[in-house]
mmCIF file of all heavy atoms in Angstrom:
data_model
loop_
_atom_site.group_PDB
_atom_site.id
_atom_site.type_symbol
_atom_site.label_atom_id
_atom_site.label_comp_id
_atom_site.label_asym_id
_atom_site.label_seq_id
_atom_site.Cartn_x
_atom_site.Cartn_y
_atom_site.Cartn_z
ATOM 1 N N VAL A 436 -25.081 88.578 22.667
ATOM 2 C CA VAL A 436 -25.034 87.601 23.750
ATOM 3 C C VAL A 436 -23.918 86.605 23.474
ATOM 4 O O VAL A 436 -23.592 86.319 22.318
ATOM 5 C CB VAL A 436 -26.390 86.872 23.898
ATOM 6 C CG1 VAL A 436 -26.723 86.067 22.651
ATOM 7 C CG2 VAL A 436 -26.423 85.983 25.138
ATOM 8 N N GLN A 437 -23.324 86.083 24.552
ATOM 9 C CA GLN A 437 -22.307 85.041 24.453
ATOM 10 C C GLN A 437 -22.896 83.737 24.991
ATOM 11 O O GLN A 437 -23.597 83.742 26.007
ATOM 12 C CB GLN A 437 -21.067 85.415 25.261
ATOM 13 C CG GLN A 437 -20.472 86.764 24.869
ATOM 14 C CD GLN A 437 -19.178 87.049 25.616
ATOM 15 O OE1 GLN A 437 -18.114 86.504 25.292
ATOM 16 N NE2 GLN A 437 -19.266 87.906 26.629
ATOM 17 N N VAL A 438 -22.598 82.635 24.297
ATOM 18 C CA VAL A 438 -23.131 81.327 24.691
ATOM 19 C C VAL A 438 -21.955 80.384 24.913
ATOM 20 O O VAL A 438 -21.193 80.092 23.985
ATOM 21 C CB VAL A 438 -24.085 80.755 23.626
ATOM 22 C CG1 VAL A 438 -24.707 79.455 24.135
ATOM 23 C CG2 VAL A 438 -25.184 81.762 23.281
ATOM 24 N N LYS A 439 -21.829 79.901 26.152
ATOM 25 C CA LYS A 439 -20.735 79.000 26.504
ATOM 26 C C LYS A 439 -21.268 77.578 26.633
ATOM 27 O O LYS A 439 -22.225 77.327 27.370
ATOM 28 C CB LYS A 439 -20.107 79.434 27.833
ATOM 29 C CG LYS A 439 -18.940 78.581 28.294
ATOM 30 C CD LYS A 439 -18.392 79.094 29.625
ATOM 31 C CE LYS A 439 -17.236 78.230 30.127
ATOM 32 N NZ LYS A 439 -16.750 78.704 31.448
ATOM 33 N N ASP A 440 -20.662 76.622 25.898
ATOM 34 C CA ASP A 440 -21.150 75.249 25.937
ATOM 35 C C ASP A 440 -20.374 74.420 26.942
ATOM 36 O O ASP A 440 -19.480 74.925 27.638
ATOM 37 C CB ASP A 440 -21.130 74.616 24.544
ATOM 38 C CG ASP A 440 -19.713 74.454 23.985
ATOM 39 O OD1 ASP A 440 -18.741 74.439 24.770
ATOM 40 O OD2 ASP A 440 -19.584 74.331 22.746
ATOM 41 N N SER A 441 -20.706 73.130 27.020
ATOM 42 C CA SER A 441 -20.118 72.259 28.040
ATOM 43 C C SER A 441 -18.627 72.029 27.840
ATOM 44 O O SER A 441 -17.928 71.638 28.772
ATOM 45 C CB SER A 441 -20.849 70.910 28.054
ATOM 46 O OG SER A 441 -20.744 70.267 26.798
ATOM 47 N N SER A 442 -18.117 72.276 26.629
ATOM 48 C CA SER A 442 -16.683 72.113 26.376
ATOM 49 C C SER A 442 -15.893 73.362 26.747
ATOM 50 O O SER A 442 -14.669 73.366 26.689
ATOM 51 C CB SER A 442 -16.449 71.779 24.901
ATOM 52 O OG SER A 442 -16.738 72.906 24.080
ATOM 53 N N GLY A 443 -16.604 74.430 27.097
ATOM 54 C CA GLY A 443 -15.936 75.687 27.426
ATOM 55 C C GLY A 443 -15.836 76.642 26.258
ATOM 56 O O GLY A 443 -15.376 77.778 26.423
ATOM 57 N N SER A 444 -16.263 76.204 25.076
ATOM 58 C CA SER A 444 -16.217 77.075 23.905
ATOM 59 C C SER A 444 -17.286 78.152 24.008
ATOM 60 O O SER A 444 -18.397 77.899 24.482
ATOM 61 C CB SER A 444 -16.432 76.262 22.623
ATOM 62 O OG SER A 444 -15.426 75.288 22.472
ATOM 63 N N ILE A 445 -16.933 79.351 23.545
ATOM 64 C CA ILE A 445 -17.858 80.479 23.614
ATOM 65 C C ILE A 445 -18.179 80.952 22.203
ATOM 66 O O ILE A 445 -17.282 81.254 21.414
ATOM 67 C CB ILE A 445 -17.267 81.631 24.444
ATOM 68 C CG1 ILE A 445 -17.076 81.180 25.895
ATOM 69 C CG2 ILE A 445 -18.175 82.862 24.381
ATOM 70 C CD1 ILE A 445 -16.421 82.221 26.772
ATOM 71 N N LYS A 446 -19.473 81.003 21.913
ATOM 72 C CA LYS A 446 -19.943 81.526 20.634
ATOM 73 C C LYS A 446 -20.600 82.875 20.888
ATOM 74 O O LYS A 446 -21.370 83.029 21.835
ATOM 75 C CB LYS A 446 -20.944 80.568 19.997
ATOM 76 C CG LYS A 446 -21.554 81.084 18.697
ATOM 77 C CD LYS A 446 -22.657 80.155 18.196
ATOM 78 C CE LYS A 446 -23.325 80.721 16.950
ATOM 79 N NZ LYS A 446 -24.450 79.881 16.482
ATOM 80 N N ILE A 447 -20.287 83.840 20.050
ATOM 81 C CA ILE A 447 -20.862 85.177 20.196
ATOM 82 C C ILE A 447 -21.920 85.378 19.117
ATOM 83 O O ILE A 447 -21.646 85.197 17.925
ATOM 84 C CB ILE A 447 -19.775 86.259 20.097
ATOM 85 C CG1 ILE A 447 -18.778 86.110 21.249
ATOM 86 C CG2 ILE A 447 -20.410 87.651 20.120
ATOM 87 C CD1 ILE A 447 -17.637 87.104 21.207
ATOM 88 N N ASN A 448 -23.131 85.721 19.536
ATOM 89 C CA ASN A 448 -24.213 86.029 18.600
ATOM 90 C C ASN A 448 -24.261 87.537 18.383
ATOM 91 O O ASN A 448 -24.476 88.300 19.327
ATOM 92 C CB ASN A 448 -25.557 85.548 19.150
ATOM 93 C CG ASN A 448 -25.657 84.035 19.213
ATOM 94 O OD1 ASN A 448 -24.723 83.331 18.847
ATOM 95 N ND2 ASN A 448 -26.770 83.524 19.672
ATOM 96 N N ASP A 449 -24.053 87.952 17.136
ATOM 97 C CA ASP A 449 -23.990 89.370 16.792
ATOM 98 C C ASP A 449 -25.313 89.875 16.244
ATOM 99 O O ASP A 449 -26.137 89.113 15.727
ATOM 100 C CB ASP A 449 -22.895 89.612 15.743
ATOM 101 C CG ASP A 449 -21.501 89.366 16.291
ATOM 102 O OD1 ASP A 449 -21.156 89.980 17.307
ATOM 103 O OD2 ASP A 449 -20.771 88.546 15.699
ATOM 104 N N ASP A 450 -25.494 91.182 16.332
ATOM 105 C CA ASP A 450 -26.601 91.853 15.668
ATOM 106 C C ASP A 450 -26.464 91.602 14.164
ATOM 107 O O ASP A 450 -25.461 91.984 13.556
ATOM 108 C CB ASP A 450 -26.534 93.352 15.987
ATOM 109 C CG ASP A 450 -27.494 94.178 15.140
ATOM 110 O OD1 ASP A 450 -28.417 93.598 14.545
ATOM 111 O OD2 ASP A 450 -27.305 95.415 15.094
ATOM 112 N N PRO A 451 -27.463 90.944 13.551
ATOM 113 C CA PRO A 451 -27.316 90.589 12.130
ATOM 114 C C PRO A 451 -27.588 91.743 11.176
ATOM 115 O O PRO A 451 -27.312 91.619 9.981
ATOM 116 C CB PRO A 451 -28.357 89.479 11.948
ATOM 117 C CG PRO A 451 -29.428 89.820 12.938
ATOM 118 C CD PRO A 451 -28.717 90.429 14.116
ATOM 119 N N ASP A 452 -28.133 92.859 11.672
ATOM 120 C CA ASP A 452 -28.543 93.968 10.802
ATOM 121 C C ASP A 452 -27.780 95.224 11.195
ATOM 122 O O ASP A 452 -27.908 95.704 12.325
ATOM 123 C CB ASP A 452 -30.053 94.193 10.938
ATOM 124 C CG ASP A 452 -30.563 95.269 9.983
ATOM 125 O OD1 ASP A 452 -29.740 95.903 9.299
ATOM 126 O OD2 ASP A 452 -31.789 95.469 9.934
ATOM 127 N N PRO A 453 -26.968 95.789 10.296
ATOM 128 C CA PRO A 453 -26.193 96.985 10.636
ATOM 129 C C PRO A 453 -27.047 98.240 10.778
ATOM 130 O O PRO A 453 -26.574 99.267 11.244
ATOM 131 C CB PRO A 453 -25.220 97.120 9.457
ATOM 132 C CG PRO A 453 -25.912 96.442 8.319
ATOM 133 C CD PRO A 453 -26.683 95.312 8.928
ATOM 134 N N GLY A 454 -28.310 98.163 10.404
ATOM 135 C CA GLY A 454 -29.187 99.324 10.520
ATOM 136 C C GLY A 454 -29.707 99.494 11.935
ATOM 137 O O GLY A 454 -29.432 98.702 12.846
ATOM 138 N N ILE A 455 -30.505 100.545 12.134
ATOM 139 C CA ILE A 455 -31.107 100.814 13.442
ATOM 140 C C ILE A 455 -32.519 101.338 13.200
ATOM 141 O O ILE A 455 -32.756 102.143 12.288
ATOM 142 C CB ILE A 455 -30.245 101.814 14.248
ATOM 143 C CG1 ILE A 455 -30.733 101.899 15.693
ATOM 144 C CG2 ILE A 455 -30.215 103.182 13.591
ATOM 145 C CD1 ILE A 455 -29.762 102.608 16.615
ATOM 146 N N ALA A 456 -33.468 100.846 13.965
ATOM 147 C CA ALA A 456 -34.863 101.234 13.766
ATOM 148 C C ALA A 456 -35.267 102.408 14.645
ATOM 149 O O ALA A 456 -36.171 103.161 14.303
ATOM 150 C CB ALA A 456 -35.781 100.046 14.045
ATOM 151 N N TYR A 457 -34.614 102.545 15.803
ATOM 152 C CA TYR A 457 -34.992 103.616 16.729
ATOM 153 C C TYR A 457 -33.757 104.035 17.522
ATOM 154 O O TYR A 457 -33.088 103.200 18.127
ATOM 155 C CB TYR A 457 -36.090 103.139 17.681
ATOM 156 C CG TYR A 457 -36.477 104.157 18.724
ATOM 157 C CD1 TYR A 457 -37.212 105.289 18.378
ATOM 158 C CD2 TYR A 457 -36.097 103.992 20.060
ATOM 159 C CE1 TYR A 457 -37.559 106.233 19.334
ATOM 160 C CE2 TYR A 457 -36.447 104.916 21.018
ATOM 161 C CZ TYR A 457 -37.177 106.041 20.661
ATOM 162 O OH TYR A 457 -37.505 106.974 21.599
#
Side-chain angles (χ1 to χ4, degrees):
V436 63
Q437 304 185 77
V438 185
K439 181 180 179 182
D440 65 21
S441 60
S442 70
S444 299
I445 296 177
K446 176 186 176 183
I447 297 178
N448 292 0
D449 293 305
D450 170 17
D452 184 355
I455 190 167
Y457 176 72

